[in-house]
Amino acid sequence: MRITVLGKSPAWQDADGACSGYLVEEGGYTLLLDCGNGVFSKLRHYRDYVDVNAVLISHLHADHFLDLIPFSYALSYAPRQQPVAVAGWPGTDSPARPQLHAPMGAGDLFRRLVSTWGDEELIERAFELHEYDGPDELTLGPINVRFCEVPHYTRTFAVELSAPSGRLTYSADCSPNDQLVQFARETDLLLIEATLPRPERTGLRGHLTPGEAGDHGRRAGARRVVLTHYSDELDADWARAEADVMFGRPVELAHDGAVYTVPGKHDS
C-alpha cells in the first residue's frame, strides 16, 4: 500500500499547503482519503483525477471535504468528460464518476452547501454518493475498510485500510480516547493528528497534542507513527521530541508530498 500526503494542514492551510488529503494506492486501485481545501490541486500533480476510483471522507468538517467542490466541477465540466467532441477531446459515453463514501447526513449537507450558488446536486451528479455508518465495513477494490467513531466536535470516524500488503490506521480528528487505541492495535502505520501545542483552554477537547499522539501510538502498539494535521507554525523539532518521548521511539512528521509504504519505510 502506497500513501502520498497531498495535504497535512489543520483547518488553516500551511503556506503553499493543503488541508487533509491522502492518496492511497493498492494493486492498481486509487483511493482519496479526505479531500480538504487545496487537495484537488495537489492531487493533479500526482494522478489524473479521472483515475481516482473512490473518495472516502472521515467527517463532515470543511477542511476534510471542501475540495469535493472543485473536484465535482472538473468531473462535470472538463472537456474530456463531455458526451460530444469538444476542444480536441473525442467525447465519451462513460465519463468518470468515482464512488464517494461519506458519513450519514453527507448528502443533505452537500446539497445545502452548494445550493448557496444554485446547483444543489453538483456533488451528487459528479460522484456516486454512498453514506456509511460506524458499524459499516466496505470493500473498495483490494482495500478493506473499517470505521471507529472517535470523539470530536462532530461525528467523526477513524479509518482502517487493510490490504494484502499491510494495514493503515488513520485517526481523523479526535480528542484523547481509548477507542482509537483499541482500534489501532498493532497497526503497521498509525497516521495520527497532532494539532495542538497544548490542550484546548476551554476544556472542551477535540484534538490531540503531539505528546498525546505519541502516547496513543505507544498504547496501541503501532509499528510506526506519523504525525499529521499540524500547522507549519508549530515547531517541527519540538513536536517530534514531544511525541518521541511518549511513543518511546522516533515518530515521523507528515509533510505535503511525503510518500509512505505499508509496511515499509518513508520513501521521500
Side-chain angles (χ1 to χ4, degrees), residues 2-9 14 16-19 21-23 25 39 42-43 45-46 228 230 253-261 266-268:
R2 177 184 172 95
I3 301 102
T4 303
V5 179
L6 303 180
K8 64 83 180 167
S9 301
D14 295 348
D16 299 319
C19 291
Y22 308 91
L23 186 65
E25 297 167 287
V39 166
K42 299 281 188 175
L43 169 67
H45 288 286
Y46 296 95
T228 192
Y230 64 92
L253 269 64
H255 61 84
D256 292 6
V259 178
Y260 303 90
T261 55
H266 181 192
D267 294 333
S268 64

Side-chain angles (χ1 to χ4, degrees), residues 217-239:
R218 177 187 58 79
R219 290 192 288 135
R223 294 180 175 85
R224 296 166 64 201
V225 167
V226 176
L227 305 187
T228 192
H229 206 266
Y230 64 92
S231 171
D232 58 0
E233 297 174 304
L234 187 66
D235 182 85
D237 291 337
W238 175 86

